[in-house]
Amino acid sequence: QKEVEQDPGPLSVPEGAIVSLNCTYSNSAFQYFMWYRQYSRKGPELLMYTYSSGNKEDGRFTAQVDKSSKYISLFIRDSQPSDSATYLCAMTSNDYKLSFGAGTTVTVRA
Amino acid sequence: DVKVTQSSRYLVKRTGEKVFLECVQDMDHENMFWYRQDPGLGLRLIYFSYDVKMKEKGDIPEGYSVSREKKERFSLILESASTNQTSMYLCASSTFQAAGPEQFFGPGTRLTVL
């Protein structure tokens, strides 16, 4: 069993829809939870970062962490074609090594 | 603007060749990482380095070695390339400071081994 599970999709939604992405994990020591966005032929870039449980909002993006269920989510409101990318969850305990999900490919149709 | 650069975007090599992938970061970061990215498998850590001349194996080190002679440069070496090493290779760097564990990635090198 992988340490971090993420449905690879692909996910296709119409412009303006809410995109919902999630990951589950098995290591209860994870404290830092991140979402990276990766455009085609580019390296991943950090989108959002949450420490421990709770919600974090940044514009159209909301990240949620439920440590009791070992489940994290990313919501994209009012999705735009420019949001079309692969979204990777990543997490770590208290060191510099990250454990990544497989990534979910999202296409927002105009 | 922070920057991680990789020496090649695309590389085609023959089976058995020795392959060098170079990565340079300009952020004075202590940590540097090499990953490979394959469809459905996500990013898998090959090696990382937390200081000059220091290295540790990641999850899939077999068939690879690394070199870090200067803080800003981290090289990945495929001693004898094989077709199952065809992949996207990503370099990243991070710092120990309290800004969080964010890793900054380069654009990637797509390696094809024929």
Side-chain angles (χ1 to χ4, degrees), chain A:
Chain A
Q1 185 189 0
K2 292 181 185 175
E3 202 169 38
V4 180
E5 298 278 359
Q6 182 178 8
D7 186 342
L11 198 59
S12 180
V13 300
E15 184 174 356
I18 294 175
V19 176
S20 173
L21 306 167
N22 56 76
C23 292
T24 59
Y25 62 94
S26 57
N27 188 343
S28 57
F30 287 148
Q31 298 273 18
Y32 298 88
F33 303 92
M34 284 150 278
W35 286 96
Y36 279 83
R37 178 175 61 195
Q38 184 177 22
Y39 290 116
S40 181
R41 291 184 290 277
K42 302 273 191 181
E45 56 179 354
L46 185 69
L47 190 60
M48 296 191 71
Y49 153 54
T50 307
Y51 173 71
S52 194
S53 280
N55 294 357
K56 189 171 186 178
E57 193 169 315
D58 184 2
R60 298 184 293 110
F61 298 87
T62 300
Q64 293 183 349
V65 175
D66 182 348
K67 291 187 70 179
S68 62
S69 302
K70 297 190 179 70
Y71 187 90
I72 70 170
S73 302
L74 178 71
F75 299 97
I76 308 173
R77 291 185 301 280
D78 188 25
S79 58
Q80 305 295 310
S82 58
D83 295 325
S84 297
T86 297
Y87 292 82
L88 301 118
C89 62
M91 45 200 81
T92 184
S93 52
N94 199 26
D95 63 23
Y96 39 86
K97 288 172 62 178
L98 299 181
S99 294
F100 284 87
T104 302
T105 299
V106 174
T107 300
V108 180
R109 308 185 305 271

Side-chain angles (χ1 to χ4, degrees), chain B:
Chain B
D1 195 19
V2 297
K3 208 86 183 264
V4 178
T5 56
Q6 295 184 228
S7 52
S8 305
R9 294 301 306 274
Y10 300 94
L11 214 49
V12 179
K13 296 291 181 181
R14 298 255 176 226
T15 302
E17 279 192 77
K18 191 168 186 175
V19 182
F20 294 86
L21 302 182
E22 301 283 332
C23 175
V24 178
Q25 51 97 1
D26 65 0
M27 296 165 281
D28 200 35
H29 283 172
E30 299 87 0
N31 309 315
M32 296 188 74
F33 308 82
W34 275 107
Y35 295 90
R36 63 178 284 176
Q37 184 176 29
D38 301 288
L41 297 178
L43 273 70
R44 292 182 291 166
L45 182 64
I46 304 171
Y47 266 98
F48 68 99
S49 169
Y50 50 89
D51 201 353
V52 175
K53 297 191 186 294
M54 306 302 289
K55 60 186 179 184
E56 283 195 27
K57 293 179 181 179
D59 301 318
I60 51 164
E62 298 78 20
Y64 303 95
S65 62
V66 291
S67 172
R68 193 167 180 199
E69 296 296 320
K70 293 184 178 181
K71 190 176 185 180
E72 68 272 17
R73 188 178 298 270
F74 193 33
S75 302
L76 179 69
I77 303 147
L78 286 66
E79 297 291 343
S80 178
S82 63
T83 54
N84 63 13
Q85 292 178 311
T86 291
S87 186
M88 169 70 88
Y89 289 88
L90 289 161
C91 175
S93 71
S94 73
T95 179
F96 285 120
Q97 294 171 12
E102 177 181 4
Q103 292 184 11
F104 295 86
F105 285 86
T109 296
R110 184 163 294 281
L111 173 67
T112 301
V113 182
L114 302 175

